[in-house]
Amino acid sequence: MLPVISIVGRPNVGKSTLFNRLTRSQDALVNDVPGVTRDRMYGLVSSSERNFLIVDTGGLGDDTDGFAALVGEQVETVLEESDVIIFLVDATEGLTVADEQIAQQLSRVNSPISIVVNKSEGLAHEMAVLEFQALGFSDPIAISARRGNGVARMIEGIVHSLPQIEDPLWLDPGPKVAVVGKPNVGKSTLINALCQTSRLIVSDTPGTTRDTVTVPLQVGNARFRFLDTAGVRRRSRVSESLEKLSVVKTLQAIEAAHVVILVIDGTDAVSDQDASLAGLVRRAGRPTVIVVNKADRIRSSERPEVVRALRRKLAFAAHHEAFFVSGLKRQGLKKLLHAVGKAYQSAMIEMPTAMLNRLLQSAVTQTPPPMSKRRPVKLKYAHQGGRNPPVVVIHGNNVSSIADHYRRYLEKFFREKFDLFGADVRVVFRSGKNPYDANR
Protein backbone atom coordinates (compact mmCIF):
# COMPACT_ATOMS: atom_id res chain seq x y z
CA MET A 1 0.00 0.00 0.00
CA LEU A 2 1.13 3.57 -0.67
CA PRO A 3 2.22 5.71 2.31
CA VAL A 4 -0.81 6.97 4.24
CA ILE A 5 -1.38 10.43 5.76
CA SER A 6 -4.60 10.63 7.75
CA ILE A 7 -6.50 13.76 8.81
CA VAL A 8 -8.20 13.52 12.20
CA GLY A 9 -9.92 15.99 14.48
CA ARG A 10 -13.28 16.95 15.91
CA PRO A 11 -16.24 17.79 13.63
CA ASN A 12 -16.25 20.92 11.47
CA VAL A 13 -12.56 21.84 11.74
CA GLY A 14 -12.15 21.57 7.94
CA LYS A 15 -10.88 18.00 7.38
CA SER A 16 -12.88 17.47 4.19
CA THR A 17 -11.90 20.90 2.87
CA LEU A 18 -8.23 20.07 3.40
CA PHE A 19 -8.74 16.64 1.78
CA ASN A 20 -10.27 18.28 -1.31
CA ARG A 21 -7.45 20.84 -1.41
CA LEU A 22 -4.74 18.16 -1.34
CA THR A 23 -6.45 15.83 -3.86
CA ARG A 24 -7.46 18.77 -6.08
CA SER A 25 -10.99 17.40 -6.20
CA GLN A 26 -14.45 17.89 -4.74
CA ASP A 27 -14.75 14.24 -3.74
CA ALA A 28 -15.48 14.90 -0.06
CA LEU A 29 -18.76 16.55 0.88
CA VAL A 30 -18.27 19.89 2.62
CA ASN A 31 -21.08 21.37 4.70
CA ASP A 32 -21.47 23.55 7.79
CA VAL A 33 -23.45 20.74 9.45
CA PRO A 34 -21.17 18.84 11.87
CA GLY A 35 -20.65 15.12 11.26
CA VAL A 36 -21.07 15.10 7.47
CA THR A 37 -18.19 12.65 6.95
CA ARG A 38 -18.74 9.13 8.31
CA ASP A 39 -16.82 6.62 6.20
CA ARG A 40 -13.10 7.10 5.81
CA MET A 41 -12.26 8.37 2.34
CA TYR A 42 -8.95 7.79 0.55
CA GLY A 43 -7.51 10.06 -2.13
CA LEU A 44 -4.34 9.80 -4.20
CA VAL A 45 -1.91 12.72 -4.01
CA SER A 46 1.05 13.01 -6.38
CA SER A 47 3.74 15.42 -5.18
CA SER A 48 7.07 16.19 -6.81
CA GLU A 49 8.77 13.74 -4.46
CA ARG A 50 6.42 10.75 -4.21
CA ASN A 51 2.86 9.43 -4.33
CA PHE A 52 0.85 8.95 -1.16
CA LEU A 53 -2.70 8.49 0.10
CA ILE A 54 -4.54 11.14 2.10
CA VAL A 55 -7.45 9.94 4.28
CA ASP A 56 -10.44 12.03 5.33
CA THR A 57 -12.11 10.77 8.52
CA GLY A 58 -15.25 11.45 10.49
CA GLY A 59 -15.19 13.95 13.33
CA LEU A 60 -14.31 12.54 16.76
CA GLY A 61 -16.20 13.35 19.96
CA ASP A 62 -19.64 14.12 18.49
CA ASP A 63 -22.66 11.82 18.82
CA THR A 64 -25.52 14.03 17.68
CA ASP A 65 -26.57 11.47 15.05
CA GLY A 66 -25.79 8.23 16.89
CA PHE A 67 -22.83 7.26 14.68
CA ALA A 68 -19.97 8.19 17.05
CA ALA A 69 -19.00 4.59 17.88
CA LEU A 70 -19.00 3.51 14.22
CA VAL A 71 -17.04 6.60 13.14
CA GLY A 72 -14.59 5.97 16.00
CA GLU A 73 -13.96 2.43 14.73
CA GLN A 74 -13.22 3.81 11.26
CA VAL A 75 -10.74 6.33 12.70
CA GLU A 76 -9.02 3.66 14.82
CA THR A 77 -8.46 1.59 11.68
CA VAL A 78 -6.94 4.59 9.89
CA LEU A 79 -4.63 5.39 12.80
CA GLU A 80 -3.22 1.85 12.72
CA GLU A 81 -2.28 2.10 9.04
CA SER A 82 -1.12 5.75 8.99
CA ASP A 83 2.51 6.69 8.41
CA VAL A 84 1.79 10.31 9.47
CA ILE A 85 -1.24 11.80 11.23
CA ILE A 86 -2.45 15.37 10.69
CA PHE A 87 -4.26 16.49 13.85
CA LEU A 88 -6.42 19.32 12.54
CA VAL A 89 -7.69 22.00 14.93
CA ASP A 90 -9.65 25.24 14.52
CA ALA A 91 -7.91 28.60 15.14
CA THR A 92 -11.23 30.46 15.38
CA GLU A 93 -12.47 28.35 18.31
CA GLY A 94 -9.13 27.86 20.04
CA LEU A 95 -8.09 24.86 22.11
CA THR A 96 -11.14 22.90 23.31
CA VAL A 97 -11.72 20.04 25.71
CA ALA A 98 -12.52 17.82 22.72
CA ASP A 99 -9.11 18.68 21.19
CA GLU A 100 -7.39 17.69 24.44
CA GLN A 101 -9.29 14.40 24.55
CA ILE A 102 -8.30 13.59 20.97
CA ALA A 103 -4.68 14.51 21.76
CA GLN A 104 -4.76 12.05 24.66
CA GLN A 105 -6.05 9.35 22.30
CA LEU A 106 -3.34 10.14 19.73
CA SER A 107 -0.59 10.03 22.34
CA ARG A 108 -0.93 6.23 22.31
CA VAL A 109 -0.22 6.05 18.55
CA ASN A 110 3.29 5.30 17.29
CA SER A 111 3.04 7.32 14.06
CA PRO A 112 4.37 10.92 13.85
CA ILE A 113 1.72 13.55 14.55
CA SER A 114 1.59 17.03 13.00
CA ILE A 115 -0.66 19.63 14.60
CA VAL A 116 -2.19 21.77 11.85
CA VAL A 117 -4.16 24.88 12.83
CA ASN A 118 -6.84 25.55 10.22
CA LYS A 119 -8.93 28.67 9.59
CA SER A 120 -5.97 30.90 10.51
CA GLU A 121 -6.51 33.43 7.71
CA GLY A 122 -6.09 36.95 9.00
CA LEU A 123 -4.17 35.84 12.09
CA ALA A 124 -0.43 36.15 12.72
CA HIS A 125 1.20 32.72 12.70
CA GLU A 126 2.40 33.04 16.30
CA MET A 127 -1.05 34.01 17.56
CA ALA A 128 -2.78 31.21 15.63
CA VAL A 129 -0.61 28.41 16.98
CA LEU A 130 0.24 29.68 20.48
CA GLU A 131 -2.29 27.83 22.66
CA PHE A 132 -2.05 24.59 20.62
CA GLN A 133 1.59 24.18 21.62
CA ALA A 134 0.28 22.92 24.95
CA LEU A 135 -0.86 19.70 23.25
CA GLY A 136 2.76 18.55 23.32
CA PHE A 137 3.29 17.27 19.78
CA SER A 138 5.31 18.90 16.97
CA ASP A 139 5.32 22.67 16.48
CA PRO A 140 1.86 23.59 15.14
CA ILE A 141 1.56 24.83 11.55
CA ALA A 142 -1.02 27.50 10.65
CA ILE A 143 -2.95 27.08 7.38
CA SER A 144 -6.18 27.97 5.61
CA ALA A 145 -7.55 24.90 3.84
CA ARG A 146 -10.27 26.99 2.19
CA ARG A 147 -7.86 29.55 0.71
CA GLY A 148 -4.81 27.29 0.43
CA ASN A 149 -2.56 29.49 2.59
CA GLY A 150 0.30 27.48 4.07
CA VAL A 151 -0.91 24.11 2.72
CA ALA A 152 2.03 23.57 0.35
CA ARG A 153 4.55 24.37 3.10
CA MET A 154 2.74 22.03 5.47
CA ILE A 155 2.70 19.05 3.12
CA GLU A 156 6.33 19.56 2.06
CA GLY A 157 7.36 19.27 5.68
CA ILE A 158 5.47 15.99 6.04
CA VAL A 159 6.18 14.20 2.74
CA HIS A 160 9.95 13.89 3.19
CA SER A 161 9.42 11.55 6.16
CA LEU A 162 7.21 9.12 4.22
CA PRO A 163 8.59 5.73 3.15
CA GLN A 164 9.22 5.07 -0.56
CA ILE A 165 6.46 2.62 -1.54
CA GLU A 166 4.62 2.10 -4.83
CA ASP A 167 1.24 0.35 -5.06
CA PRO A 168 -0.22 -0.49 -8.51
CA LEU A 169 -3.67 -0.97 -6.97
CA TRP A 170 -3.85 2.82 -6.49
CA LEU A 171 -1.61 3.96 -9.36
CA ASP A 172 -3.34 1.69 -11.94
CA PRO A 173 -6.62 0.87 -10.21
CA GLY A 174 -8.79 -0.41 -13.07
CA PRO A 175 -12.37 0.45 -14.09
CA LYS A 176 -14.74 2.40 -11.85
CA VAL A 177 -17.80 0.46 -10.69
CA ALA A 178 -20.57 2.58 -9.15
CA VAL A 179 -22.88 0.75 -6.74
CA VAL A 180 -26.27 2.51 -6.69
CA GLY A 181 -29.71 1.87 -5.29
CA LYS A 182 -32.34 3.09 -2.87
CA PRO A 183 -31.43 3.63 0.78
CA ASN A 184 -30.94 0.47 2.85
CA VAL A 185 -30.73 -2.03 -0.02
CA GLY A 186 -27.30 -3.18 1.20
CA LYS A 187 -24.82 -1.32 -1.02
CA SER A 188 -22.18 -0.81 1.69
CA THR A 189 -22.65 -4.36 2.99
CA LEU A 190 -22.09 -5.67 -0.53
CA ILE A 191 -18.81 -3.76 -0.95
CA ASN A 192 -17.65 -4.86 2.51
CA ALA A 193 -18.35 -8.46 1.47
CA LEU A 194 -16.32 -8.05 -1.73
CA CYS A 195 -13.42 -6.54 0.27
CA GLN A 196 -13.82 -9.12 3.05
CA THR A 197 -13.46 -6.34 5.62
CA SER A 198 -15.59 -3.72 7.40
CA ARG A 199 -14.39 -0.99 5.07
CA LEU A 200 -17.65 0.99 5.15
CA ILE A 201 -20.06 1.90 7.93
CA VAL A 202 -23.18 -0.25 7.84
CA SER A 203 -26.35 0.68 9.70
CA ASP A 204 -30.10 0.08 9.49
CA THR A 205 -30.54 3.87 9.48
CA PRO A 206 -31.42 5.09 5.95
CA GLY A 207 -28.92 7.62 4.60
CA THR A 208 -25.90 6.25 6.48
CA THR A 209 -23.66 6.75 3.43
CA ARG A 210 -23.32 10.40 2.40
CA ASP A 211 -20.09 10.74 0.43
CA THR A 212 -19.26 8.71 -2.65
CA VAL A 213 -16.46 6.52 -1.28
CA THR A 214 -13.87 4.90 -3.57
CA VAL A 215 -12.77 1.40 -2.57
CA PRO A 216 -10.05 -0.27 -4.70
CA LEU A 217 -10.18 -4.05 -4.97
CA GLN A 218 -7.95 -6.64 -6.62
CA VAL A 219 -9.17 -10.18 -7.32
CA GLY A 220 -6.51 -12.26 -9.01
CA ASN A 221 -5.20 -10.09 -11.84
CA ALA A 222 -8.40 -8.04 -12.07
CA ARG A 223 -8.57 -4.61 -10.43
CA PHE A 224 -11.64 -2.50 -9.77
CA ARG A 225 -12.52 0.80 -8.10
CA PHE A 226 -15.87 0.39 -6.39
CA LEU A 227 -17.80 3.60 -5.70
CA ASP A 228 -20.16 3.32 -2.75
CA THR A 229 -22.90 5.92 -3.20
CA ALA A 230 -25.63 7.48 -1.13
CA GLY A 231 -29.08 5.92 -1.46
CA VAL A 232 -31.41 7.87 -3.74
CA ARG A 233 -34.99 8.45 -2.63
CA ARG A 234 -37.89 9.93 -4.56
CA ARG A 235 -37.35 13.62 -5.29
CA SER A 236 -40.44 14.60 -3.29
CA ARG A 237 -38.85 13.12 -0.14
CA VAL A 238 -35.48 14.83 -0.55
CA SER A 239 -35.64 18.07 1.42
CA GLU A 240 -32.37 18.62 3.30
CA SER A 241 -29.61 20.38 1.38
CA LEU A 242 -27.10 17.80 2.61
CA GLU A 243 -29.12 14.94 1.14
CA LYS A 244 -29.44 16.85 -2.13
CA LEU A 245 -25.64 17.14 -2.26
CA SER A 246 -25.36 13.39 -1.65
CA VAL A 247 -27.75 12.67 -4.52
CA VAL A 248 -25.71 14.93 -6.82
CA LYS A 249 -22.58 12.97 -5.83
CA THR A 250 -24.37 9.73 -6.73
CA LEU A 251 -25.37 11.07 -10.15
CA GLN A 252 -21.77 12.20 -10.73
CA ALA A 253 -20.55 8.71 -9.77
CA ILE A 254 -22.86 7.17 -12.40
CA GLU A 255 -21.46 9.51 -15.05
CA ALA A 256 -17.87 8.76 -14.01
CA ALA A 257 -18.33 4.98 -13.83
CA HIS A 258 -17.37 2.39 -16.43
CA VAL A 259 -19.94 -0.07 -15.00
CA VAL A 260 -22.93 0.44 -12.69
CA ILE A 261 -24.24 -2.17 -10.26
CA LEU A 262 -27.93 -1.49 -9.64
CA VAL A 263 -28.81 -3.03 -6.27
CA ILE A 264 -32.40 -4.13 -5.66
CA ASP A 265 -33.72 -5.28 -2.28
CA GLY A 266 -34.94 -8.82 -2.97
CA THR A 267 -37.19 -8.77 0.10
CA ASP A 268 -39.09 -5.71 -1.14
CA ALA A 269 -41.22 -5.17 -4.23
CA VAL A 270 -39.51 -3.59 -7.24
CA SER A 271 -40.53 0.06 -6.92
CA ASP A 272 -40.95 3.08 -9.15
CA GLN A 273 -37.79 4.49 -7.53
CA ASP A 274 -35.84 1.42 -8.68
CA ALA A 275 -37.14 2.03 -12.19
CA SER A 276 -36.28 5.74 -11.97
CA LEU A 277 -32.69 4.95 -10.94
CA ALA A 278 -32.41 2.41 -13.72
CA GLY A 279 -33.55 5.10 -16.15
CA LEU A 280 -30.81 7.46 -14.93
CA VAL A 281 -28.19 4.77 -15.50
CA ARG A 282 -29.51 4.01 -18.98
CA ARG A 283 -29.53 7.67 -19.98
CA ALA A 284 -25.90 7.87 -18.91
CA GLY A 285 -25.24 4.93 -21.22
CA ARG A 286 -23.40 2.90 -18.61
CA PRO A 287 -23.40 -0.90 -18.74
CA THR A 288 -25.54 -2.23 -15.93
CA VAL A 289 -25.35 -5.31 -13.75
CA ILE A 290 -28.62 -5.91 -11.87
CA VAL A 291 -28.10 -7.31 -8.38
CA VAL A 292 -30.91 -8.70 -6.25
CA ASN A 293 -29.46 -8.43 -2.74
CA LYS A 294 -30.54 -10.25 0.44
CA ALA A 295 -30.98 -13.44 -1.58
CA ASP A 296 -30.44 -15.49 1.57
CA ARG A 297 -33.96 -14.40 2.58
CA ILE A 298 -35.56 -15.38 -0.75
CA ARG A 299 -36.73 -18.96 -1.38
CA SER A 300 -35.57 -20.58 -4.62
CA SER A 301 -39.20 -20.97 -5.68
CA GLU A 302 -39.71 -17.18 -5.33
CA ARG A 303 -36.82 -16.15 -7.56
CA PRO A 304 -38.64 -16.54 -10.94
CA GLU A 305 -41.35 -14.15 -9.74
CA VAL A 306 -38.69 -11.62 -8.69
CA VAL A 307 -37.20 -11.81 -12.19
CA ARG A 308 -40.63 -11.35 -13.78
CA ALA A 309 -41.24 -8.29 -11.56
CA LEU A 310 -37.90 -6.83 -12.65
CA ARG A 311 -38.79 -7.25 -16.29
CA ARG A 312 -42.18 -5.64 -15.77
CA LYS A 313 -40.75 -2.62 -13.95
CA LEU A 314 -37.40 -2.20 -15.73
CA ALA A 315 -37.83 -1.96 -19.48
CA PHE A 316 -34.25 -3.01 -20.27
CA ALA A 317 -34.17 -5.95 -17.83
CA ALA A 318 -35.40 -8.34 -20.54
CA HIS A 319 -31.86 -8.58 -21.95
CA HIS A 320 -30.06 -8.27 -18.58
CA GLU A 321 -29.40 -11.19 -16.28
CA ALA A 322 -30.30 -10.62 -12.62
CA PHE A 323 -27.70 -11.82 -10.10
CA PHE A 324 -28.98 -13.04 -6.76
CA VAL A 325 -26.42 -12.29 -4.05
CA SER A 326 -26.23 -11.89 -0.30
CA GLY A 327 -23.77 -9.29 0.91
CA LEU A 328 -24.41 -10.35 4.50
CA LYS A 329 -23.71 -14.05 3.82
CA ARG A 330 -21.14 -13.36 1.04
CA GLN A 331 -23.03 -15.49 -1.46
CA GLY A 332 -22.92 -15.09 -5.26
CA LEU A 333 -19.98 -12.65 -5.24
CA LYS A 334 -17.73 -14.60 -7.63
CA LYS A 335 -20.39 -14.57 -10.36
CA LEU A 336 -21.02 -10.88 -9.71
CA LEU A 337 -17.36 -9.92 -10.20
CA HIS A 338 -17.23 -11.98 -13.38
CA ALA A 339 -20.34 -10.17 -14.66
CA VAL A 340 -18.78 -6.77 -13.88
CA GLY A 341 -15.69 -7.74 -15.91
CA LYS A 342 -17.83 -8.87 -18.86
CA ALA A 343 -19.90 -5.67 -18.75
CA TYR A 344 -16.73 -3.55 -18.79
CA GLN A 345 -15.36 -5.45 -21.79
CA SER A 346 -18.67 -4.94 -23.60
CA ALA A 347 -18.67 -1.21 -22.86
CA MET A 348 -15.12 -0.81 -24.21
CA ILE A 349 -15.52 -3.13 -27.20
CA GLU A 350 -13.80 -2.29 -30.48
CA MET A 351 -16.14 -2.60 -33.47
CA PRO A 352 -14.22 -3.04 -36.76
CA THR A 353 -15.58 -0.78 -39.51
CA ALA A 354 -15.70 -3.58 -42.07
CA MET A 355 -17.78 -5.75 -39.75
CA LEU A 356 -20.11 -2.86 -38.88
CA ASN A 357 -20.81 -2.25 -42.57
CA ARG A 358 -21.53 -5.93 -43.22
CA LEU A 359 -23.91 -5.99 -40.28
CA LEU A 360 -25.57 -2.77 -41.41
CA GLN A 361 -26.29 -4.21 -44.82
CA SER A 362 -27.61 -7.39 -43.23
CA ALA A 363 -29.90 -5.41 -40.91
CA VAL A 364 -31.22 -3.26 -43.76
CA THR A 365 -31.81 -6.32 -45.97
CA GLN A 366 -33.65 -8.06 -43.14
CA THR A 367 -35.79 -5.01 -42.28
CA PRO A 368 -35.52 -1.99 -44.63
CA PRO A 369 -35.91 1.46 -43.05
CA PRO A 370 -39.35 3.06 -43.41
CA MET A 371 -39.91 5.98 -45.74
CA SER A 372 -39.06 9.41 -44.38
CA LYS A 373 -41.51 12.14 -45.47
CA ARG A 374 -42.46 9.97 -48.48
CA ARG A 375 -38.84 9.73 -49.53
CA PRO A 376 -36.72 6.55 -49.40
CA VAL A 377 -34.03 6.30 -46.73
CA LYS A 378 -30.66 4.95 -47.76
CA LEU A 379 -28.19 3.89 -45.08
CA LYS A 380 -24.74 3.82 -46.67
CA TYR A 381 -21.86 3.49 -44.22
CA ALA A 382 -21.23 2.83 -40.53
CA HIS A 383 -18.30 3.24 -38.17
CA GLN A 384 -17.73 3.29 -34.43
CA GLY A 385 -18.12 6.70 -32.82
CA GLY A 386 -17.31 6.03 -29.17
CA ARG A 387 -17.14 3.65 -26.24
CA ASN A 388 -18.84 3.36 -22.88
CA PRO A 389 -21.42 3.29 -24.31
CA PRO A 390 -20.51 1.79 -27.70
CA VAL A 391 -21.70 4.25 -30.36
CA VAL A 392 -22.36 3.32 -34.01
CA VAL A 393 -22.48 6.26 -36.42
CA ILE A 394 -24.47 5.56 -39.59
CA HIS A 395 -24.24 7.86 -42.63
CA GLY A 396 -26.99 8.03 -45.23
CA ASN A 397 -29.62 10.04 -47.05
CA ASN A 398 -32.86 11.34 -45.50
CA VAL A 399 -31.86 10.11 -42.04
CA SER A 400 -32.91 13.21 -40.08
CA SER A 401 -36.41 11.92 -39.38
CA ILE A 402 -35.90 8.17 -39.13
CA ALA A 403 -38.48 6.68 -36.78
CA ASP A 404 -37.32 5.87 -33.23
CA HIS A 405 -38.54 2.29 -33.52
CA TYR A 406 -36.12 1.69 -36.39
CA ARG A 407 -33.24 3.18 -34.39
CA ARG A 408 -34.13 0.79 -31.55
CA TYR A 409 -34.22 -2.11 -34.02
CA LEU A 410 -30.68 -1.31 -35.20
CA GLU A 411 -29.40 -0.87 -31.62
CA LYS A 412 -30.79 -4.26 -30.67
CA PHE A 413 -29.40 -5.81 -33.87
CA PHE A 414 -25.85 -4.57 -33.20
CA ARG A 415 -26.05 -5.45 -29.51
CA GLU A 416 -27.01 -9.04 -30.27
CA LYS A 417 -24.53 -9.50 -33.10
CA PHE A 418 -21.63 -8.28 -30.95
CA ASP A 419 -22.98 -10.33 -28.01
CA LEU A 420 -22.73 -7.42 -25.58
CA PHE A 421 -23.29 -8.15 -21.91
CA GLY A 422 -25.07 -5.55 -19.80
CA ALA A 423 -24.29 -2.79 -22.31
CA ASP A 424 -26.49 -1.09 -24.89
CA VAL A 425 -25.47 0.28 -28.27
CA ARG A 426 -26.30 3.83 -29.27
CA VAL A 427 -26.98 4.48 -32.94
CA VAL A 428 -26.40 8.00 -34.30
CA PHE A 429 -27.43 9.00 -37.83
CA ARG A 430 -25.45 11.44 -39.96
CA SER A 431 -26.24 12.93 -43.35
CA GLY A 432 -23.53 13.60 -45.91
CA LYS A 433 -20.55 12.01 -47.56
CA ASN A 434 -18.72 8.88 -46.49
CA PRO A 435 -16.03 10.15 -44.03
CA TYR A 436 -13.57 7.56 -45.36
CA ASP A 437 -13.71 8.73 -48.99
CA ALA A 438 -10.87 11.23 -48.44
CA ASN A 439 -8.52 8.46 -47.35
CA ARG A 440 -9.03 6.33 -50.45
Side-chain angles (χ1 to χ4, degrees):
M1 191 173 183
L2 288 170
V4 174
I5 299 175
S6 58
I7 309 171
V8 300
R10 57 188 175 82
N12 251 33
V13 294
K15 297 183 296 297
S16 296
T17 303
L18 180 57
F19 176 91
N20 287 343
R21 171 71 62 179
L22 292 171
T23 58
R24 299 179 182 180
S25 72
Q26 294 297 320
D27 289 346
L29 275 177
V30 176
N31 195 283
D32 291 336
V33 177
V36 170
T37 303
R38 289 171 178 168
D39 292 295
R40 63 189 193 269
M41 179 177 290
Y42 292 74
L44 177 65
V45 180
S46 297
S47 73
S48 57
E49 295 186 26
R50 66 198 67 184
N51 300 305
F52 61 92
L53 297 178
I54 193 80
V55 189
D56 184 21
T57 63
L60 292 171
D62 178 72
D63 197 22
T64 55
D65 56 6
F67 283 93
L70 294 171
V71 169
E73 291 174 6
Q74 292 275 311
V75 175
E76 285 289 345
T77 301
V78 170
L79 295 179
E80 290 176 4
E81 66 186 22
S82 296
D83 297 287
V84 176
I85 297 166
I86 293 176
F87 178 17
L88 198 66
V89 292
D90 186 339
T92 63
E93 295 187 8
L95 181 62
T96 67
V97 173
D99 292 326
E100 293 174 339
Q101 291 172 343
I102 295 170
Q104 188 175 3
Q105 179 182 350
L106 294 178
S107 66
R108 299 189 292 269
V109 178
N110 294 325
S111 303
I113 296 169
S114 294
I115 299 179
V116 177
V117 185
N118 192 26
K119 306 181 186 180
S120 63
E121 53 266 37
L123 297 174
H125 182 274
E126 293 77 11
M127 292 298 297
V129 304
L130 182 61
E131 60 182 320
F132 296 103
Q133 291 174 342
L135 293 174
F137 297 113
S138 62
D139 291 336
I141 304 168
I143 69 163
S144 169
R146 184 169 63 88
R147 296 185 180 181
N149 301 344
V151 173
R153 181 171 57 88
M154 172 205 74
I155 208 65
E156 286 172 5
I158 293 174
V159 167
H160 74 275
S161 65
L162 295 176
Q164 286 277 12
I165 304 172
E166 296 297 323
D167 184 356
L169 184 57
W170 278 97
L171 300 178
D172 183 20
K176 293 181 180 178
V177 184
V179 183
V180 304
K182 297 185 302 183
N184 263 34
V185 295
K187 300 181 293 297
S188 298
T189 302
L190 178 61
I191 295 178
N192 283 346
L194 291 166
C195 297
Q196 299 184 21
T197 183
S198 298
R199 170 64 182 83
L200 302 164
I201 290 178
V202 175
S203 168
D204 291 333
T205 304
T208 298
T209 302
R210 288 172 168 172
D211 285 292
T212 295
V213 183
T214 301
V215 182
L217 177 66
Q218 180 161 349
V219 181
N221 294 324
R223 295 173 185 156
F224 305 96
R225 281 173 291 175
F226 282 90
L227 310 179
D228 187 29
T229 64
V232 179
R233 299 190 295 170
R234 289 202 303 271
R235 184 179 299 178
S236 60
R237 294 186 178 180
V238 178
S239 55
E240 296 183 7
S241 60
L242 184 57
E243 186 174 359
K244 290 178 181 178
L245 286 173
S246 296
V247 171
V248 169
K249 288 286 187 183
T250 298
L251 299 179
Q252 290 173 343
I254 291 172
E255 290 288 344
H258 298 97
V259 179
V260 174
I261 295 177
L262 176 62
V263 183
I264 307 290
D265 185 344
T267 64
D268 196 8
V270 182
S271 66
D272 291 339
Q273 182 60 17
D274 292 319
S276 176
L277 263 174
L280 291 173
V281 176
R282 285 206 79 195
R283 282 195 289 277
R286 300 299 174 255
T288 310
V289 178
I290 300 174
V291 165
V292 181
N293 195 22
K294 308 181 184 179
D296 55 305
R297 294 159 61 183
I298 307 172
R299 297 189 185 93
S300 298
S301 59
E302 296 172 340
R303 292 188 178 189
E305 178 53 36
V306 174
V307 173
R308 285 193 289 271
L310 281 171
R311 290 177 177 172
R312 283 196 302 269
K313 277 285 187 181
L314 311 182
F316 68 96
H319 60 272
H320 282 64
E321 181 180 355
F323 291 86
F324 287 80
V325 308
S326 170
L328 189 63
K329 302 290 186 180
R330 296 182 178 176
Q331 297 170 353
L333 303 183
K334 187 174 181 180
K335 287 184 178 179
L336 172 59
L337 286 173
H338 180 68
V340 169
K342 283 183 65 179
Y344 175 67
Q345 291 172 359
S346 293
M348 304 303 288
I349 190 172
E350 183 176 344
M351 298 174 166
T353 301
M355 184 176 180
L356 279 175
N357 282 298
R358 286 196 301 270
L359 290 175
L360 175 62
Q361 295 308 313
S362 177
V364 169
T365 300
Q366 182 176 309
T367 305
M371 301 279 283
S372 175
K373 297 179 180 179
R374 298 185 180 181
R375 299 173 62 188
V377 173
K378 186 174 182 180
L379 304 181
K380 299 179 179 180
Y381 314 100
H383 62 90
Q384 187 169 5
R387 301 179 185 180
N388 198 27
V391 177
V392 177
V393 181
I394 299 175
H395 297 259
N397 294 337
N398 303 322
V399 297
S400 58
S401 56
I402 283 184
D404 284 341
H405 71 82
Y406 195 76
R407 184 196 305 270
R408 291 193 296 270
Y409 157 72
L410 290 175
E411 289 173 342
K412 179 182 178 182
F413 188 90
F414 287 121
R415 184 186 71 240
E416 292 177 348
K417 292 301 181 182
F418 280 99
D419 194 25
L420 301 186
F421 180 87
D424 291 322
V425 174
R426 284 185 176 173
V427 168
V428 176
F429 296 109
R430 293 282 185 268
S431 297
K433 297 179 180 180
N434 177 11
Y436 296 98
D437 278 343
N439 297 327
R440 292 181 177 175

